Amino acid sequence: MDMISDRSNPDHLLGMLIEKKGEFISGESISGMAGVTRSAIWKQINHLKSLGYVIESAPRKGYCLISSPDLLLPEEIHARANLKTLGRRIHYRSSVDSTNILAKLLASKGEPHGTLIIAEEQLTGKGRLGRKWVSPSGGIWFSVILRPSLPPYEAPKLTLLAAVAVAQTLRSFGAAASIKWPNDILSGGKKICGILTELSAEIDAVNFVVLGIGLNVNNTQFPEELSKQATSLHNVMGENLDRADVLARLLHTLEIDLEQAEREGFDNILIKWRALCGTLGHRIMVTGINRTFEGVALDIDGTGALLVENDEGVVEKVLSGDVSIRTRDWNKTNLPG
Ligand code: BT5
């Protein structure tokens, strides 16, 4: 199913049913508010039922929402979070190749700042450097189009900002979460979320940034090669979560952090990032494009680069790459995530 929800023209029927869950709403009041005929409403009700919504109908009383399926439909998000900039427009897909690919296409056609692309599953979800991101239904896979007034070299800080928002959100649900530089969120030492930031820029100005976030929530099975290194919120908490709740809370946090960064710059985000990071202070292995080396992760600098003291005592600035915490060190310490 493909759907666009525009906040200036919301899909009233589902929104009304969710708002009055458990109560009957008459056909007249629905058609009055949404300006549609009764037969159009009946069609929409049947469509919602086909998606798994349980809706009772009774002559003269109207329609009553009894229960909702675990879907990330735009109205489910709006019902749970009063968002200002993010999600004014939402493109929702039951299935898509990659929300980042679709987001880049839509952004290049002029979709505004804050537009969300949400999919129930991705057929070819993308990681960094051409890697694959496994994205079956049950997870949260989405991209945000941002048009920040930032110079291009500042854009990587948006990845740090997103990582902070994800870690804060997971902790607010009671799950352990820590950030592994630059873009992984770990829980219990396993990867629960990945972030892929893509940039379209001129030399001195950002056209748009696509911030893609993949969070394992109710998807519990991973391919053999990932089973030891990946986890989901269900696996951590021992129960299914309401994904729309998780996404709404994450978007709310992301919106607040973005507003703060826009107002005051990224200093506070960097402070929060350091506090949530499980990499700093540890001996790590850095795998870059051209070489691999070990050292101690000291800090990140103002641009988000990782500062690593190598075995010769020289502090190296790592702009991109992957890091892994050395097992020796991992066993000795009690990491928060
Ligand atoms: C990332 O890349 O971690 C970025 C992932 C971003 C995914 C989101 S989903 C919405 C948006 N649309 C997209 O198409 N992408 C974004 P990287 O650091 O390169 O990590 C990729 C590696 O993580 C893979 O090579 C696997 O080892 C592992 N991996 C793949 N799927 C995973 C999953 N579901 N959970 C945990 N680890 C996974």
Side-chain angles (χ1 to χ4, degrees):
M1 183 181 58
D2 295 359
M3 186 186 207
I4 302 181
S5 152
D6 189 323
R7 251 346 231 162
S8 58
N9 179 23
D11 170 8
H12 269 305
L13 176 57
L14 181 54
M16 282 174 74
L17 287 168
I18 294 172
E19 199 188 316
K20 300 261 190 253
K21 190 170 178 178
E23 293 172 35
F24 274 93
I25 319 173
S26 71
E28 289 93 36
S29 63
I30 296 173
S31 56
M33 281 189 75
V36 289
T37 62
R38 279 167 163 238
S39 74
I41 291 169
W42 188 77
K43 257 196 190 158
Q44 279 190 52
I45 293 280
N46 277 343
H47 175 61
L48 292 173
K49 284 182 176 170
S50 76
L51 294 175
Y53 284 90
V54 178
I55 299 168
E56 238 175 65
S57 48
R60 285 187 299 278
K61 286 165 93 180
Y63 301 100
C64 171
L65 176 63
I66 306 293
S67 69
S68 305
D70 180 27
L71 292 176
L72 298 175
L73 287 168
E75 286 306 323
E76 295 288 353
I77 310 303
H78 290 310
R80 289 165 172 78
N82 192 11
L83 299 166
K84 283 187 262 169
T85 36
L86 300 185
R88 289 175 68 83
R89 279 170 65 76
I90 301 181
H91 293 255
Y92 171 86
R93 297 280 191 279
S94 14
S95 184
V96 74
D97 49 0
S98 147
T99 57
N100 264 39
I101 293 178
L102 181 57
K104 282 189 286 177
L105 181 76
L106 293 168
S108 66
K109 290 184 179 164
E111 273 292 327
H113 177 80
T115 298
L116 299 177
I117 293 84
I118 301 173
E120 297 292 346
E121 65 164 5
Q122 297 184 115
L123 303 175
T124 51
K126 297 198 308 163
R128 290 178 301 146
L129 306 167
R131 292 190 279 238
K132 291 194 178 116
W133 183 257
V134 176
S135 328
S137 60
I140 293 179
W141 327 119
F142 74 102
S143 303
V144 191
I145 296 173
L146 299 173
R147 297 186 183 278
S149 41
L150 285 178
Y153 69 85
E154 293 243 89
K157 290 186 196 165
L158 291 167
T159 308
L160 305 180
L161 184 147
V164 166
V166 173
Q168 283 175 321
T169 303
L170 291 175
R171 288 190 179 189
S172 78
F173 279 92
S178 71
I179 301 171
K180 180 163 84 74
W181 186 90
N183 67 331
D184 291 351
I185 314 300
L186 308 184
S187 191
K190 294 181 171 187
K191 184 158 171 174
I192 194 167
C193 173
I195 300 167
L196 176 64
T197 311
E198 297 189 85
L199 173 69
S200 159
E202 310 290 320
I203 284 177
D204 53 2
V206 171
N207 295 329
F208 61 80
V209 172
V210 167
L211 199 57
I213 299 181
L215 177 61
N216 300 316
V217 183
N218 295 334
N219 52 320
T220 52
Q221 305 293 323
F222 296 95
E224 177 68 30
E225 68 278 13
L226 290 185
S227 56
K228 288 205 175 71
Q229 68 195 58
T231 192
S232 67
L233 206 45
H234 174 113
N235 288 351
V236 172
M237 307 289 290
E239 60 183 10
N240 264 357
L241 284 104
D242 179 320
R243 284 182 310 137
D245 265 357
V246 178
L247 180 54
R249 209 182 287 185
L250 171 54
L251 290 170
H252 181 68
T253 311
L254 198 56
E255 185 170 275
I256 291 173
D257 287 346
L258 281 166
E259 273 172 10
Q260 189 187 39
E262 207 151 289
R263 256 191 343 262
E264 306 164 10
F266 285 86
D267 287 0
N268 258 311
I269 298 299
L270 294 181
I271 291 170
K272 287 190 209 169
W273 191 93
R274 289 185 182 101
L276 291 162
C277 180
T279 313
L280 301 183
H282 293 275
R283 186 167 181 83
I284 58 167
M285 176 143 85
V286 181
T287 310
I289 293 172
N290 297 321
R291 78 184 180 110
T292 296
F293 72 98
E294 286 195 20
V296 177
L298 297 179
D299 199 359
I300 48 168
D301 70 9
T303 66
L306 187 66
L307 304 176
V308 183
E309 184 177 348
N310 69 20
D311 290 343
E312 284 75 53
V314 177
V315 177
E316 300 206 32
K317 191 166 160 170
V318 184
L319 298 169
S320 65
D322 289 293
V323 303
S324 53
I325 293 173
R326 305 309 295 143
T327 320
R328 207 156 27 102
D329 197 36
W330 177 264
N331 287 340
K332 269 197 310 206
T333 53
N334 195 6
L335 290 176

